[in-house]
């Protein structure tokens, strides 16, 4: 398995590839390479392929948009992916599905752990005010 292939996740990953959603990847820094934010497309594409999307992020003509919060080298850093950016007007984020994943790089590839919105409702409520500040699809 290549380094960019996602490892098996510990939770069921949604496979809806046609509806808009905001995906938040919370990435743990790697002690030997703490500044990996330049590899954001690798993380975003690995998740998209794992979810069953055929298109990957190569430029601004894809149906998705990626926001990158730069790495501090110590704390987790975040990638926010707006899926199907042209199918949502960006006005009411409460109507938009959100998914938060904890991401680790393992020897077998990238490992995605979906934070269940029911089980982690308090965590979602803390993260949403920060992620909702990013303009949808821009």
């Amino acid at each position: 398995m290549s380094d960019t292939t996602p490892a098996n996740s510990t939770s069921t990953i949604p496979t809806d590839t046609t509806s808009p959603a905001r995906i938040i990847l919370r990435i743990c820094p790697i002690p030997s390479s703490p500044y990996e934010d330049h590899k954001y497309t690798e993380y975003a594409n690995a998740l998209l392929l794992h979810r069953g999307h055929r298109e990957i992020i190569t430029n601004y003509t894809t149906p998705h948009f990626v926001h990158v919060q730069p790495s501090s080298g110590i704390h987790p850093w975040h990638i926010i992916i707006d899926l199907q950016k042209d199918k949502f007007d960006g006005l009411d984020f409460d109507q938009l599905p959100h998914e938060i994943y904890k991401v680790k790089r393992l020897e077998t590839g990238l490992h995605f752990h979906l934070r269940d919105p029911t089980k982690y409702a308090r965590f979602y409520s803390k993260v949403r005010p920060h992620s909702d500040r990013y303009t949808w699809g821009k």
Side-chain angles (χ1 to χ4, degrees), residues 59-75:
N59 55 37
Y60 291 103
T61 62
T62 63
H64 314 300
F65 189 85
V66 178
H67 309 269
V68 180
Q69 176 197 33
S71 174
S72 69
I74 300 170
H75 303 290

Side-chain angles (χ1 to χ4, degrees), residues 14-19 44-59 61-64 83-84 87:
T15 57
D16 180 359
T17 62
T18 61
S19 300
N45 287 333
L47 179 76
L48 289 173
L49 292 172
H50 198 56
R51 288 182 93 247
H53 291 265
R54 282 189 263 172
E55 65 281 326
I56 59 172
I57 296 167
T58 56
N59 55 37
T61 62
T62 63
H64 314 300
L83 295 180
Q84 301 299 336
K87 293 184 178 181

Side-chain angles (χ1 to χ4, degrees), residues 3 47 49 86 97 118 133 135:
D3 199 41
L47 179 76
L49 292 172
D86 297 331
T118 306
R133 290 188 293 201
T135 303

Side-chain angles (χ1 to χ4, degrees), residues 52-115:
H53 291 265
R54 282 189 263 172
E55 65 281 326
I56 59 172
I57 296 167
T58 56
N59 55 37
Y60 291 103
T61 62
T62 63
H64 314 300
F65 189 85
V66 178
H67 309 269
V68 180
Q69 176 197 33
S71 174
S72 69
I74 300 170
H75 303 290
W77 57 286
H78 301 84
I79 297 172
I80 298 172
I81 306 169
D82 296 337
L83 295 180
Q84 301 299 336
K85 66 180 185 213
D86 297 331
K87 293 184 178 181
F88 178 68
D89 60 14
L91 298 178
D92 189 0
F93 281 110
D94 290 333
Q95 300 300 315
L96 184 70
H98 284 68
E99 299 168 18
I100 301 174
Y101 294 85
K102 182 178 180 181
V103 183
K104 289 185 178 181
R105 183 182 294 280
L106 303 174
E107 288 182 17
T108 56
L110 296 175
H111 177 83
F112 298 95
H113 176 76
L114 175 62
R115 300 294 190 174

